Amino acid sequence: MKPARLHLLSEEKRLLWQLRMKGPMPRTELALSLQVSNSALTKLSHNLISLGLVEEREALEAPTRGRPTIPLGISPQGGFAAGATVHKGVLEIALVDFSGEIIALASEQIGTPSPVEFAAIVQRHLDLISVRHRLLGQRFFGIGVGLPGSPRTRKGDSWHTVKELPGWNDMPLGQMLGDALGTPVLLENDANAAAVAEYYLSSAGRKASTVVVILLGYGIGAGVIEDGRLVKGGFGGAGEVGMLYPGHLPRPSTLDLLSVLGDAGCRIDSVARFDELTAGFEAVVEDWLDRAAGQLEVLVNSAIAWFDPEDVVFSSPLPASVVARLAERLNAMPLCWPAERPGQIRISALGGSAIALGAALLPIHAATTLVAG
């Protein structure tokens, strides 16, 4: 599938962003929010409606006699996009429509695929899902991929990835995956992708001007969104908090927990079937959570001090019950929330799907917003 090319005016992108963040709004409110005239708003909305990106919603009852108010909202029929990532032992793919709603989630247990093998699995699932959901012929925005690693340069043409994915490190991954899939691919750090998903798909994330997402995956990373913009840093490596935890020492990561369980005699080498395979090793998990919480306390406090976030989220492919117990431990610690606005770490409701969902939102974000990501 070739991604669609949209040529939208900056004011049209601003209108789309307003509706995406605030939800359906009447034309008069939109005009006020965007500081444009009613006639200009009518022209902008007419073009977006004709493109299928915006739709009229069910009319609201008029407060007085007269015509009812008809809100405008993002149209789910505006198109779709795909995203994919690889966890330890599991590949996940997500499809979302233009409004951000989930069309489908699929996963497959895998070993350590090469980039080309990864692309082949993604393409197979994409073909099946597109047929099943009758997406062929609809506007396609593209494919995003969440990577466990950081770009070598801000351009992102080469990546430093984890050693558990041989064949990915220092390779032109964008070109390799794009050639294998027959379409351009947007690459993003997995923690950043998870942060995008929280910002778009979580009501708490959308209400917050600053969101910090801490991802426990292959390693440990963080994604920060400030006023809708991903904080990238000077070279694209902002949020690489794993460097605070040397790799030769125990780290508060999913991969580290699997290693600790393996050393204790648990036959587990994947996040798949975690609860089933760790039965009888609950004490090992609890001990690891105690240690991980202690390691993460300074990281969370640093995030609070540096960014003053309204929302701090833990995301992980580990079961939600495990991540929740980790958050409970940290919330019981003396975190440095300001006294006038105390906060709580929350766990992502998106679970292990956050990275793939965020990756799927990247092409839509890139095509329709003014906010650089």
Side-chain angles (χ1 to χ4, degrees):
M1 287 182 238
K2 296 294 182 183
R5 291 189 176 183
L6 289 176
H7 301 284
L8 299 176
L9 301 174
S10 60
E11 290 299 318
E12 291 170 336
K13 291 184 177 183
R14 286 183 62 217
L15 189 154
L16 287 169
W17 183 255
Q18 188 75 10
L19 292 177
R20 196 175 293 281
M21 292 297 104
K22 302 296 184 182
M25 298 174 66
R27 287 176 172 84
T28 52
E29 290 184 24
L30 266 174
L32 285 172
S33 296
L34 298 174
Q35 296 183 325
V36 299
S37 67
N38 288 333
S39 59
L41 193 284
T42 297
K43 183 177 180 180
L44 290 171
S45 60
H46 177 76
N47 187 44
L48 292 173
I49 290 172
S50 68
L51 288 171
L53 302 178
V54 168
E55 64 182 10
E56 294 183 334
R57 298 291 177 85
E58 185 176 345
L60 302 173
E61 290 187 10
T64 59
R65 290 185 179 181
R67 297 178 61 185
T69 303
I70 300 176
L72 297 178
I74 298 290
S75 173
Q77 305 304 316
F80 73 102
T85 192
V86 57
H87 306 301
K88 177 60 174 174
V90 176
L91 182 149
E92 188 156 23
I93 181 171
L95 266 68
V96 298
D97 65 28
F98 186 63
S99 70
E101 291 296 314
I102 300 170
I103 297 173
L105 288 169
S107 62
E108 182 172 322
Q109 294 189 41
I110 57 170
T112 53
S114 69
V116 173
E117 291 168 338
F118 171 88
I121 298 172
V122 170
Q123 186 66 66
R124 173 163 51 81
H125 281 286
L126 183 57
D127 290 343
L128 290 172
I129 295 171
S130 297
V131 172
R132 185 180 304 132
H133 291 271
R134 301 179 181 179
L135 299 173
L136 298 178
Q138 292 192 29
R139 182 184 286 124
F140 178 57
F141 285 93
I143 300 175
V145 174
L147 293 171
S150 57
R152 292 290 191 186
T153 65
R154 191 173 178 87
K155 185 179 177 182
D157 49 355
S158 178
W159 284 69
H160 174 72
T161 56
V162 295
K163 66 179 184 299
E164 288 78 15
L165 290 176
W168 293 67
N169 197 35
D170 285 333
M171 301 298 290
L173 293 177
Q175 179 182 337
M176 292 176 68
L177 294 173
D179 289 347
L181 288 163
T183 186
V185 173
L186 292 178
L187 305 178
E188 187 54 83
N189 167 264
D190 51 5
N192 283 344
V196 169
E198 289 298 328
Y199 193 73
Y200 269 87
L201 303 180
S202 162
S203 59
R206 284 196 305 275
K207 292 175 183 176
S209 64
T210 305
V211 181
V212 174
V213 176
I214 296 173
L215 176 69
L216 309 180
Y218 275 99
I220 177 169
V224 181
I225 292 185
E226 173 73 24
D227 291 330
R229 184 187 301 271
L230 270 172
V231 176
K232 290 295 195 81
F235 299 95
E240 283 297 309
V241 296
M243 65 180 62
L244 301 175
Y245 305 94
H248 66 284
L249 296 175
R251 313 174 85 200
S253 69
T254 295
L255 205 62
D256 179 68
L257 174 55
L258 298 183
S259 176
V260 168
L261 284 163
D263 291 343
C266 178
R267 301 183 63 180
I268 185 170
D269 59 2
S270 165
V271 294
R273 300 165 54 213
F274 182 92
D275 287 334
E276 175 188 343
L277 293 175
T278 58
F281 292 87
E282 290 82 2
V284 176
V285 175
E286 294 302 314
D287 286 345
W288 181 88
L289 289 171
D290 288 339
R291 186 253 287 171
Q295 289 179 292
L296 290 167
E297 180 183 6
V298 66
L299 176 62
V300 173
N301 276 332
S302 296
I304 295 170
W306 278 101
F307 298 107
D308 188 24
E310 295 147 280
D311 198 23
V312 176
V313 187
F314 272 20
S315 181
S316 177
L318 290 168
S321 60
V322 175
V323 186
R325 297 201 299 279
L326 179 60
E328 287 171 4
R329 284 165 165 80
L330 279 155
N331 283 326
M333 292 178 172
L335 300 181
C336 60
W337 298 105
E340 65 274 16
R341 51 181 187 280
Q344 286 276 308
I345 296 168
R346 68 177 178 88
I347 67 167
S348 173
L350 303 174
S353 301
I355 302 170
L357 287 168
L361 289 162
L362 291 172
I364 294 174
H365 180 88
T368 62
T369 68
L370 288 170
V371 183

